[in-house]
Each structure stands twice: as structure tokens, then as C-alpha cells.
């Protein structure tokens, strides 16, 4: 059980800056994100694209912005709980009790939901009754490539993830790449590389094919694929990897009893509190008249939500507004040495 002042749901740019705003006023935060990496949309959807409207930074990529935001919160030594999705919330005296899908429990007087467009989840195979193989023989991401060493691996998908893993795993495994179209969607370089590996006999490519069935009791005994004319072929595989992109789901947060407006959470713009005391929503996931889905708007929202969290986390203390330039106490929290 982890006790903290604020649980931040979402490690996108807005969640990260909220951690900073909490940190400078002396509040401790823990951050949970369903993804295996920090940065939200900036890292998952456009790591190398330049952004031109972050105040004071004429140009930076999604990756660079994430790096700078992490650098800025370094003094607070924040714990990140990645690959974890928040599931349930219940009231426990003055606190919220939040559980994750990995059965971790957080106790906090405040929750800041910075969940963006929802948790990113892999689009799965449409095939029936194959859940029993998930995370045993069927995977939608690769945590440790050595798991597949010297095995027969069948990779489905036509985008960069499918191509990159086909290239990488071809060095240590027997790879068959299956895609429902003849053309791949990946970068020119990756497509060329995959075709070269095929020529050299280092991988097999099956197009235009898609999954038909996956058979087996505990492990996969056989998989079949079908082409556009429903012609069936059998493939031998120990493991199956599917890379069909990500879908965004509001997921369990939709069951928390919060007011919802389609997939967003209405908030009070004075403090970005939802209809539940101590639960705040900031960034892309919140809505209010005039809301702009921009990173800079999320930064402002996080600053106000953080101050509201202070009142609930430190009910006996008075919050004092201070500038970072002149506040001795903020500088101490940031680990900056002063001469006064
Ligand atoms: C291609 C593209 C270009 C863009 N360009 C710009 C631009 O130039 N300027 C600009 O200002 N904005 C731009 N945006 C928009 C900007 O990326 C978003 O406004 C910003 O990412 C919102 O930040 P966020 O932290 O609110 O959410 P996100 O970045 O979406 O992060 C939310 C995080 O919360 C996690 N999460 C959600 N639900 C859960 C849950 N239940 N449990 C655990 N984790 C959860 C998600 O996995 C995700 O990592 C662009 C967006 C795209 C797609």
C-alpha cells in the first residue's frame, strides 16, 4: 500500500508538469501510466515531430519535450508505475483508495487525472477464444526479446512496430511476417530491409494474409492464415506477436461516478476539480467552455489543480503564493543552493 499526497494518473506532458507544480509547493506525487514509457502522446504518437508552441521553446520534438519535463522534476524523485492501469476508486475516510490492474493500492487525499485521450491499449486479434494464450504465447508488445530466442515467431502487422520487430527478431529467431495487404506501411528503410532479409532467406513473408485460427490447449499447436480468397495455409509457430496499433480507451475511469461529457471529464475551471472532491482532471481529458487541447493549456490546468490539492493534503497549513525566482523554500525543494 502506497500513501502519497497526490496520485497522478497519466505520465503525458501534462501529468509530468503537474508533478513539478506539486513538488514546488511541497506535495509528494506518485504517477501511474498504462504505457511502458513516459511521455504520453508526445512519445507514443510523435516522438520525432517538432512542436512549435511550447512557451519559450521555439522548437522541440515530442521526445525532447518529455526529456526536459523529466529533467525539471528530477529533484522530486518521483516514482513512476508504468505498465499499470488504474482500475477502481473508493472513499476511505478523508482519502481515496485507488487500485491498479496489478493490484497495487494507493491511498491519497487527491487524484489528478491527466489521462489524455484515455489509456493506450493494443488493438487485439479479432479471433475467438484466444485470450488464454495472451501473455503466454500471444503478445502485443515485446518486453524481452530473448524470450523468443531460437523459437518460431509469427509476427502480424504492416506498420513500423511489426517491421522493426521482424528485423530485430530475425537475428535470433525463425520469423514469419504476415500482413493483410501486399504493401507495408512502415518507413521506406524498414520495408527495404525486410525485403532484403526475405531475399536472403532470413525471414518468411506472407501477404496478403490474415489470421484465421489459433489452435492449442495450453500452448499454440497450430495457426492458420487465410488470403483474400479464403485460401487457408498452416504456419508453425511457438509464439505469435500482433502489432495492429493502439486504441485509446477511457477504460475503468468511466466507472468512477464522475460526470462525463462523451469521453471527457467536465471540470470547474477555478481548480480543475471534477464533481468529486479531491479528484481533478487536467489536460486533454478535461473539458470546460473554451477548452483548447494544447499542452500549454494543460500546464496551466496542472498549476491550479496542484494548489487545490494542497488544501486537502495539508488541511492545517495555509498555502502561500510564491514566485520560483524569489522563494527560498521553493529553491530548497529544487535543490538550488542560495547565498541567503
Ligand atoms: C500528431 C500530434 C501532434 C500534436 N502536436 C501538438 C502541438 O504541436 N502542440 C500542442 O500543444 N499539442 C499537440 N498535440 C496534442 C498534445 O499531444 C496533447 O494535447 C497532449 O499530449 C495532452 O497531454 P496529456 O498529458 O493531457 O495526455 P497524453 O499525452 O494523452 O497522456 C496521457 C497518459 O495517460 C495514460 N493513461 C490514460 N488513462 C490511464 C489509466 N486509466 N491508467 C493509467 N494510465 C492512463 C496514457 O497511457 C497516457 O500515457 C499533438 C497531438 C498529436 C497526436
Amino acid at each position: 500500500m502506497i500513501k502519497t499526497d497526490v496520485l497522478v494518473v497519466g505520465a503525458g506532458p501534462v501529468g509530468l508538469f503537474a508533478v513539478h507544480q506539486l513538488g514546488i509547493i511541497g506535495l509528494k506525487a506518485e504517477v501511474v501510466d498504462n504505457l511502458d514509457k513516459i511521455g504520453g502522446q508526445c512519445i507514443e504518437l510523435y516522438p520525432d515531430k517538432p512542436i512549435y508552441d511550447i512557451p519559450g521553446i521555439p522548437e522541440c520534438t515530442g521526445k525532447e519535450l518529455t526529456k526536459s519535463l523529466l529533467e525539471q522534476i528530477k529533484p522530486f524523485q518521483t516514482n513512476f508505475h508504468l505498465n499499470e492501469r488504474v482500475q477502481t476508486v473508493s472513499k476511505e475516510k478523508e482519502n481515496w483508495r485507488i487500485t491498479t490492474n496489478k493490484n497495487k493500492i494507493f491511498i491519497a487525499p487527491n487524484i489528478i487525472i491527466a489521462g489524455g485521450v484515455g489509456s493506450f491499449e493494443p488493438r487485439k486479434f479479432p479471433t475467438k477464444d484466444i485470450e488464454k494464450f495472451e501473455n503466454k504465447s500471444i503478445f502485443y508488445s515485446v518486453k524481452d526479446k530473448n524470450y523468443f530466442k531460437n523459437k518460431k515467431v509469427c509476427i502480424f502487422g504492416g506498420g513500423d512496430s511489426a517491421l522493426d520487430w521482424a528485423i530485430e527478431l530475425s537475428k535470433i529467431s525463425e520469423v514469419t511476417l504476415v500482413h493483410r495487404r501486399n504493401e507495408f506501411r512502415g518507413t521506406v528503410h524498414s520495408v527495404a530491409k525486410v525485403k532484403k532479409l526475405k531475399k536472403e532467406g532470413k525471414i518468411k513473408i506472407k501477404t496478403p494474409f490474415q489470421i484465421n485460427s489459433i489452435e492449442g490447449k495450453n500452448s499454440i499447436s497450430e495457426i492458420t492464415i487465410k488470403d483474400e480468397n479464403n485460401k487457408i495455409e498452416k504456419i508453425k509457430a511457438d509464439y505469435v506477436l500482433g502489432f495492429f496499433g493502439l486504441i485509446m480507451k477511457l477504460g475503468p475511469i468511466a466507472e468512477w461516478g464522475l460526470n462525463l461529457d462523451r469521453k471527457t471529464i467536465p471540470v470547474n475551471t477555478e481548480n480543475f476539480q471534477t464533481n468529486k472532491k479531491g479528484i481533478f482532471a487536467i489536460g486533454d481529458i478535461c473539458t470546460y467552455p473554451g477548452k483548447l487541447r494544447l499542452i500549454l493549456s494543460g500546464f496551466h490546468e496542472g498549476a491550479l489543480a496542484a494548489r487545490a490539492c494542497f488544501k486537502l493534503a495539508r488541511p492545517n497549513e495555509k498555502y502561500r503564493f510564491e514566485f520560483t525566482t524569489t522563494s527560498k523554500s521553493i529553491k530548497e525543494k529544487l535543490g538550488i543552493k542560495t547565498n541567503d
Side-chain angles (χ1 to χ4, degrees):
M1 194 186 292
I2 301 168
K3 284 190 176 180
T4 186
D5 292 319
V6 185
L7 180 72
V8 177
V9 179
V14 174
L16 293 179
F17 192 65
V19 169
H20 178 269
Q21 291 296 292
L22 293 163
I24 61 170
I25 58 174
L27 297 189
K28 179 101 187 83
E30 300 275 328
V31 184
V32 180
D33 200 297
N34 203 33
L35 284 177
D36 57 357
K37 41 186 142 14
I38 295 171
Q41 291 174 53
C42 294
I43 283 293
E44 195 59 42
L45 302 181
Y46 58 102
D48 299 315
K49 277 203 170 75
I51 312 173
Y52 300 100
D53 55 356
I54 302 298
I57 304 174
E59 181 184 333
C60 70
T61 62
K63 213 189 289 172
E64 286 163 352
L65 177 65
T66 305
K67 192 167 168 262
S68 302
L69 287 164
L70 276 172
E71 185 67 30
Q72 204 170 12
I73 59 172
K74 219 170 168 185
F76 309 120
Q77 298 177 357
T78 310
N79 293 324
F80 285 89
H81 308 265
L82 300 178
N83 280 315
E84 267 186 79
R85 192 177 62 195
V86 295
Q87 290 288 117
T88 63
V89 71
S90 55
K91 194 82 194 168
E92 205 171 83
K93 292 185 192 148
E94 296 307 307
N95 288 308
W96 293 105
R97 177 191 170 94
I98 308 101
T99 62
T100 71
N101 59 341
K102 302 248 173 93
N103 296 324
K104 214 171 265 172
I105 298 169
F106 294 92
I107 303 288
N110 299 289
I111 304 170
I112 294 184
I113 304 172
V117 280
S119 67
F120 291 92
E121 312 219 344
R123 194 169 273 124
K124 297 190 174 181
F125 286 103
T127 324
K128 270 189 191 160
D129 303 326
I130 59 163
E131 292 81 10
K132 61 183 175 191
F133 297 125
E134 266 179 33
N135 299 320
K136 289 183 211 135
S137 315
I138 298 181
F139 298 88
Y140 296 100
S141 65
V142 176
K143 302 252 166 334
D144 177 7
K145 65 179 179 184
N146 291 318
Y147 192 77
F148 305 102
K149 200 169 177 180
N150 300 326
K151 299 285 180 190
K152 293 187 180 68
V153 183
C154 187
I155 299 179
F156 286 80
D160 278 322
S161 300
L163 297 182
D164 290 350
W165 280 116
I167 295 165
E168 192 57 32
L169 291 180
S170 70
K171 296 171 194 162
I172 54 167
S173 332
E174 210 177 293
V175 174
T176 305
L177 177 62
V178 184
H179 182 39
R180 67 194 165 99
R181 296 190 207 287
N182 281 320
E183 304 76 34
F184 290 101
R185 279 181 291 107
T187 56
V188 180
H189 173 78
S190 300
V191 175
K193 177 83 184 166
V194 157
K195 287 188 176 159
K196 185 166 174 271
L197 288 171
K198 187 196 169 189
K199 250 190 193 163
E200 294 167 355
K202 292 185 178 151
I203 66 169
K204 289 184 196 137
I205 295 183
K206 292 277 176 193
T207 60
F209 274 97
Q210 51 186 308
I211 191 94
N212 180 61
S213 69
I214 301 179
E215 312 289 343
K217 267 199 160 169
N218 296 320
S219 56
I220 295 175
S221 58
E222 181 183 279
I223 70 170
T224 60
I225 53 173
K226 62 178 176 195
D227 71 3
E228 291 157 325
N229 303 316
N230 284 331
K231 190 187 111 196
I232 306 279
E233 276 194 29
K234 283 182 189 174
I235 296 190
K236 286 226 168 318
D238 302 302
Y239 296 111
V240 172
L241 298 176
F243 296 106
F244 308 116
L246 298 164
I247 42 174
M248 290 99 178
K249 278 189 176 172
L250 189 51
I253 292 175
E255 316 295 322
W256 284 12
L258 301 172
N259 288 342
L260 296 177
D261 179 356
R262 274 166 284 166
K263 286 183 177 173
T264 53
I265 305 172
V267 287
N268 164 0
T269 50
E270 199 183 321
N271 51 16
F272 293 89
Q273 193 161 243
T274 64
N275 59 312
K276 300 227 178 231
K277 192 176 168 196
I279 304 188
F280 303 84
I282 58 173
D284 278 11
I285 205 160
C286 77
T287 187
Y288 52 87
K291 165 72 185 169
L292 281 179
R293 280 190 168 195
L294 284 177
I295 295 167
L296 67 89
S297 315
F299 288 169
H300 158 79
E301 294 156 9
L304 289 195
R307 271 68 181 183
C309 289
F310 186 90
K311 288 188 188 146
L312 296 172
R314 307 273 185 274
N316 303 322
E317 290 175 35
K318 197 167 158 35
Y319 165 71
R320 250 180 356 122
F321 172 83
E322 291 177 303
F323 288 125
T324 57
T325 29
T326 45
S327 162
K328 193 169 169 244
S329 112
I330 291 178
K331 284 182 191 161
E332 268 168 21
K333 291 182 184 92
L334 290 170
I336 295 162
K337 289 198 176 78
T338 53
N339 293 327
D340 27 285

